[in-house]
Amino acid sequence: MLIGIDLGTTNSLVACFRNGKAEIIPNRLGENLTPSVVSVDSKGTVYVGRSAKERAMLHPLESASVFKRSMGTDREYVLGGWKLRAEELSSLVLRSLKEDAESYLGQPVTDAIISVPAYFNDLQRKATKRAGELAGLNVVRIINEPTAAAIAHGMMEQKDSRYLVFDLGGGTFDVSILELYNPIMEVHAIAGDNFIGGEDFTDVLYNLFLESAGIAPENLDLKTRSEIRKNAENCKCAFSHSNEVMMCCAVNGQMHILRLSFEEYERACAPLLDRLRKPIERSLRDAGVSLNEIDQIVLVGGATRSPVVRKFVAKLFGRIPSFGINPDEAVAIGAALQCGMKSRD
Ligand code: AMP
């Protein structure tokens, strides 16, 4: 059986092509997103996904995340006395996804198509392939993430067209301009910022809370800090269905409350939105196209669920982007559609 995998910086997903359609495969906890986090205790017990993410709060030195950034390098992560490189950590995530797919599908999974960022060089692509092999998978193809997202949004069914893929994940921002001259799809230009993502939008709330409570961040212990951050993350996501949020956290036995309207939050995010604009302008310049020559804007990455980001995109492009598919599932769906195409050769 062939599966499609979106091996993400923050979260990973697995999907397959069955009964004529792409299908996301839930993990053992019934969730579609598996955090790309690994934790290893001193006895060598390995935790992957949500359990590793939770363990990381209390055992940060035994846990690793965002290791996708170090793919193809010799950097070693030391977790509880165990030394692991990024591709080995990635292979643990891939193995966990493979096992989840096998138990969901009730059959062995042998082959995979894995997505990588369009800017990944040869070393990073080879490291991704090796990670798959270490996980017991035959990697039949590496696919570019924006290409997978565009496929999920039906680009292959169009006549010649031009898409802009706006991918804002947890910690990275990538813009790609794709051109389809049927049946060839080409990544025409890529630009990005490796140091901006959804986490920065969480930091805005975290900092507003500390400011309003008059607390200096250096006076917080690790546990309180991660509790406030978790709360900030929940409130950030709550803006998707509410115009006002309330953040309540106890610090040193005293309860602090921050009430914030969407407009106030949006204003505080202005410097971040400004940073998103630059790679967009660069990619258009590099591709030699103007905004009105783009046929469709595809949103990818969990952080594009944010109404602050959606409003910004709609205003910048003067139109509503394509919302048909969950932004955090588009790449996996595209990889699964590619599995379907591959099986039918
Ligand atoms: P990804 O790396 O694509 O899984 O994106 C993860 C990022 O998306 C994290 O920073 C999440 O906080 C963010 N995210 C997920 N859902 C929402 C939401 N409803 N509103 C704002 N940000 C979100």
Side-chain angles (χ1 to χ4, degrees), residues 323-344:
F323 287 143
I325 293 180
N326 266 341
D328 36 20
E329 294 178 357
V331 172
I333 294 278
L337 289 172
Q338 189 71 198
C339 292
M341 292 180 215
K342 178 108 187 123
S343 313
R344 280 179 285 139

Side-chain angles (χ1 to χ4, degrees), residues 228-256:
I228 300 175
R229 252 199 136 264
K230 199 166 180 188
N231 218 308
E233 159 88 18
N234 291 343
C235 285
K236 175 186 76 171
C237 295
F239 275 122
S240 289
H241 47 79
S242 167
N243 255 324
E244 192 181 73
V245 298
M246 198 164 79
M247 218 176 131
C248 317
C249 284
V251 181
N252 298 331
Q254 198 192 334
M255 194 56 120
H256 294 273

Side-chain angles (χ1 to χ4, degrees), residues 145-326:
E145 287 165 9
T147 306
I151 290 174
H153 281 267
M155 192 175 190
M156 294 305 275
E157 286 120 54
Q158 311 263 319
K159 284 206 280 302
D160 297 352
S161 54
R162 198 177 277 126
Y163 277 36
L164 183 144
V165 180
F166 179 107
D167 181 350
L168 188 65
T172 51
F173 176 47
D174 298 303
V175 186
S176 318
I177 294 182
L178 304 186
E179 296 202 338
L180 175 73
Y181 309 100
N182 228 333
I184 311 279
M185 195 190 289
E186 220 176 51
V187 180
H188 214 63
I190 48 176
D193 184 335
N194 253 334
F195 296 95
I196 187 169
E199 300 311 307
D200 298 287
F201 287 80
T202 305
D203 284 342
V204 167
L205 270 172
Y206 175 85
N207 292 329
L208 283 174
F209 177 82
L210 292 188
E211 216 174 279
S212 82
I215 301 165
E218 54 276 15
N219 294 342
L220 293 172
D221 59 51
L222 200 64
K223 191 163 173 271
T224 316
R225 205 177 299 172
S226 66
E227 261 165 26
I228 300 175
R229 252 199 136 264
K230 199 166 180 188
N231 218 308
E233 159 88 18
N234 291 343
C235 285
K236 175 186 76 171
C237 295
F239 275 122
S240 289
H241 47 79
S242 167
N243 255 324
E244 192 181 73
V245 298
M246 198 164 79
M247 218 176 131
C248 317
C249 284
V251 181
N252 298 331
Q254 198 192 334
M255 194 56 120
H256 294 273
I257 297 177
L258 170 71
R259 241 183 248 279
L260 201 70
S261 72
F262 175 74
E263 286 73 23
E264 287 167 319
Y265 177 55
E266 193 181 30
R267 262 200 303 280
C269 291
L272 292 177
L273 298 175
D274 217 42
R275 281 176 60 194
L276 295 181
R277 200 180 315 237
K278 293 192 180 81
I280 297 172
E281 288 165 356
R282 196 162 56 234
S283 66
L284 290 167
R285 211 168 37 240
D286 289 353
V289 294
S290 63
L291 269 179
N292 51 19
E293 288 173 288
I294 300 287
D295 298 301
Q296 200 173 153
I297 295 138
V298 168
L299 296 184
V300 182
T304 63
R305 284 178 188 274
S306 158
V308 172
V309 174
R310 290 191 169 194
K311 211 173 137 190
F312 163 78
V313 173
K315 218 163 135 191
L316 184 69
F317 292 97
R319 75 186 100 160
I320 305 292
S322 173
F323 287 143
I325 293 180
N326 266 341

